[in-house]
Amino acid sequence: MLTDIFAYRYLDSPIWDSFDENARRLLVQGFRIVAEQLFPYYDANGNEKSEARAIWGGLNKKLAMELGLKDLSSPIYGYYSDWNGNKHWVSGSWPKITVCENFVLAEYDGSVTADQFVKERLSFIELAFRQREEKLSELNASLDKRVQQAELEAKMKPARGLRLPGSPGDALRAWNQNQNEMFRASCNELNERFRRSRVKLHYHNGFIQISEDEAVLRQIEQPFWNLVGDPMWQSVDHDMKEAIDLRDSGGRDPALFAAKALESAIKIISDVKGWTRGTEKGAANYIDNLRAKANGEFINGWERENLVEFFSKVRNPFGHGAGSDPIPELSVPQTDWAIEFCMIWTKSLIRRL
């Protein structure tokens, strides 16, 4: 099974020209966040947790497959030890966390470029964050069902001894909220580590991507990623990530994917509000649904014109064959503008719901 990793997405986009102290610190810090905050490997008594063993083993297998390795580092060890003047061979298997740690924190020996070395190891951190985020999405999606089950079980059990105040459902909601808050704190820490390492990267919704402008990141990108992290906006999130990757790697038509993300957001809002009639032919018709007086004018006239103009002048030329006309192409500044335009509009529309 193919796994999308940071190292491949940015294979042709150099970031590190040397392995310096900032890069070394970043890898250590990123690994410690994973090991200490996302997936602690040992319990309070120092024993290996079976669930953690499976998680770390899975991370090892996923990344090793993408890098063309059997394991990220040797899963076994062996050495001679002196005992009573005799040499004895000692061998065993490394814990799964150690197999990963020996890879991520390996000393740089110059056998590959510094850029490849760091990217491959950041790919591990990206995969770990993505896995934790996917697990949280599952927990969030099943929360109502788990609350109902817990409250039903509490009612069926006979009361014995002292009972703590509060319902089991409230306790479960509080625990679930705490899990989400802890993960957001880990994401914020990782992004701050990127900033302090003076590398223009940002983690959001399962992916590490390049973010060039700190002001744009703070005011536009981060609020956007926070909003579309909800499963409801999955298609928006997916297409915008594709736009960013294409822009950063010099791929074709990143603005088209940004426009697709915005169009998806408009369609989802129209559907959720019950305004979709089923006769819409394109983005303009869905925009009209948002503008309609009967629907409370979700957007006003000048906003409608602004959106329609964007799809007409920017999206449509890339969404249809050029024929005998020149192939449309946006400059780098124009591409950045188009992506930011779509992020700003998507953010604004979602916040109005």
Side-chain angles (χ1 to χ4, degrees), residues 257-313:
F257 283 88
K260 287 175 62 178
L262 174 57
E263 183 176 5
S264 289
I266 293 170
K267 289 180 177 179
I268 291 169
I269 291 171
S270 178
D271 292 344
V272 168
K273 288 289 191 178
W275 299 334
T276 302
R277 304 179 304 279
T279 58
E280 292 82 1
K281 300 297 184 182
N285 295 139
Y286 283 96
I287 294 170
D288 286 338
N289 290 347
L290 273 58
R291 173 69 180 95
K293 289 185 178 180
N295 297 333
E297 293 187 311
F298 193 77
I299 59 175
N300 62 29
W302 72 264
E303 290 177 311
R304 177 197 177 278
E305 297 304 319
N306 185 244
L307 286 167
V308 170
E309 183 80 359
F310 174 81
F311 282 100
S312 174
K313 302 297 185 181

Side-chain angles (χ1 to χ4, degrees), residues 17 39 64-65 79 130-131 151 161 164 166-167 181 192 195 197 203 216 230 239 262 271 274 286 289 291 346:
D17 54 14
F39 302 119
M65 172 64 82
Y79 59 91
R130 186 185 303 163
Q131 179 150 334
E151 292 182 341
L164 296 175
S167 72
E181 290 175 352
E192 177 63 17
R195 190 187 69 80
S197 297
Y203 173 84
V216 171
D230 188 288
D239 284 335
L262 174 57
D271 292 344
Y286 283 96
N289 290 347
R291 173 69 180 95
T346 300

Side-chain angles (χ1 to χ4, degrees), residues 53-348:
R53 187 178 192 278
I55 290 170
W56 284 87
L59 291 171
N60 169 50
K61 287 183 178 180
K62 282 183 180 179
L63 185 55
M65 172 64 82
E66 298 310 313
L67 299 181
L69 304 170
K70 289 190 66 177
D71 292 282
L72 294 178
S73 69
S74 176
I76 59 175
Y77 61 85
Y79 59 91
Y80 282 104
S81 176
D82 287 330
W83 187 69
N84 286 340
N86 297 314
K87 287 188 175 182
H88 294 270
W89 179 251
V90 179
S91 63
S93 298
W94 290 116
K96 298 299 183 183
I97 187 174
T98 304
V99 175
C100 298
E101 180 179 0
N102 288 343
F103 170 76
V104 178
L105 305 187
E107 290 189 15
Y108 178 59
D109 61 7
S111 59
V112 298
T113 65
D115 193 63
Q116 178 183 340
F117 184 85
V118 179
K119 285 176 180 175
E120 289 179 351
R121 282 149 183 82
L122 277 184
S123 294
F124 175 85
I125 295 167
E126 177 186 59
L127 286 181
F129 268 78
R130 186 185 303 163
Q131 179 150 334
R132 181 57 182 156
E133 190 148 8
E134 289 172 351
K135 178 61 177 178
L136 280 176
S137 294
E138 293 174 4
L139 288 173
N140 293 337
S142 65
L143 178 59
D144 289 342
K145 183 177 180 180
R146 289 184 290 117
V147 166
Q148 292 175 2
Q149 182 71 22
E151 292 182 341
L152 179 61
E153 290 177 356
K155 290 179 181 179
M156 295 178 65
K157 289 181 180 178
R160 294 178 181 176
L162 293 175
R163 294 190 62 180
L164 296 175
S167 72
D170 289 340
L172 196 53
R173 290 189 189 94
W175 177 86
N176 198 81
Q177 180 179 351
N178 183 58
Q179 295 299 304
N180 281 271
E181 290 175 352
M182 289 171 61
F183 180 69
R184 282 196 294 271
S186 296
C187 293
N188 291 338
E189 180 178 346
L190 179 62
N191 287 326
E192 177 63 17
R193 298 295 181 188
F194 285 144
R195 190 187 69 80
R196 293 187 183 188
S197 297
R198 299 179 181 179
V199 59
K200 295 179 179 180
L201 297 175
H202 188 263
Y203 173 84
H204 44 258
N205 301 353
F207 291 84
I208 295 173
Q209 293 184 305
I210 291 175
S211 183
E212 292 286 353
D213 190 308
E214 190 168 337
V216 171
L217 169 63
R218 184 175 62 255
Q219 298 172 13
I220 299 175
E221 294 180 5
Q222 184 61 66
F224 169 85
W225 295 120
N226 289 344
L227 287 170
V228 301
D230 188 288
M232 173 181 178
W233 309 102
Q234 182 179 4
S235 60
V236 181
D237 177 74
H238 176 274
D239 284 335
M240 191 59 76
K241 285 174 181 171
E242 186 70 17
I244 298 294
D245 282 343
L246 287 171
R247 180 197 65 185
D248 295 340
S249 62
R252 284 186 56 81
D253 304 337
L256 175 61
F257 283 88
K260 287 175 62 178
L262 174 57
E263 183 176 5
S264 289
I266 293 170
K267 289 180 177 179
I268 291 169
I269 291 171
S270 178
D271 292 344
V272 168
K273 288 289 191 178
W275 299 334
T276 302
R277 304 179 304 279
T279 58
E280 292 82 1
K281 300 297 184 182
N285 295 139
Y286 283 96
I287 294 170
D288 286 338
N289 290 347
L290 273 58
R291 173 69 180 95
K293 289 185 178 180
N295 297 333
E297 293 187 311
F298 193 77
I299 59 175
N300 62 29
W302 72 264
E303 290 177 311
R304 177 197 177 278
E305 297 304 319
N306 185 244
L307 286 167
V308 170
E309 183 80 359
F310 174 81
F311 282 100
S312 174
K313 302 297 185 181
V314 180
R315 196 284 303 273
N316 289 352
F318 291 93
H320 304 287
S324 57
D325 295 331
I327 297 175
E329 186 175 357
L330 296 181
S331 66
V332 172
Q334 288 171 333
T335 297
D336 287 340
W337 170 84
I339 291 174
E340 290 165 17
F341 175 93
C342 293
M343 283 187 168
I344 291 169
W345 259 113
T346 300
K347 181 162 59 81
S348 176

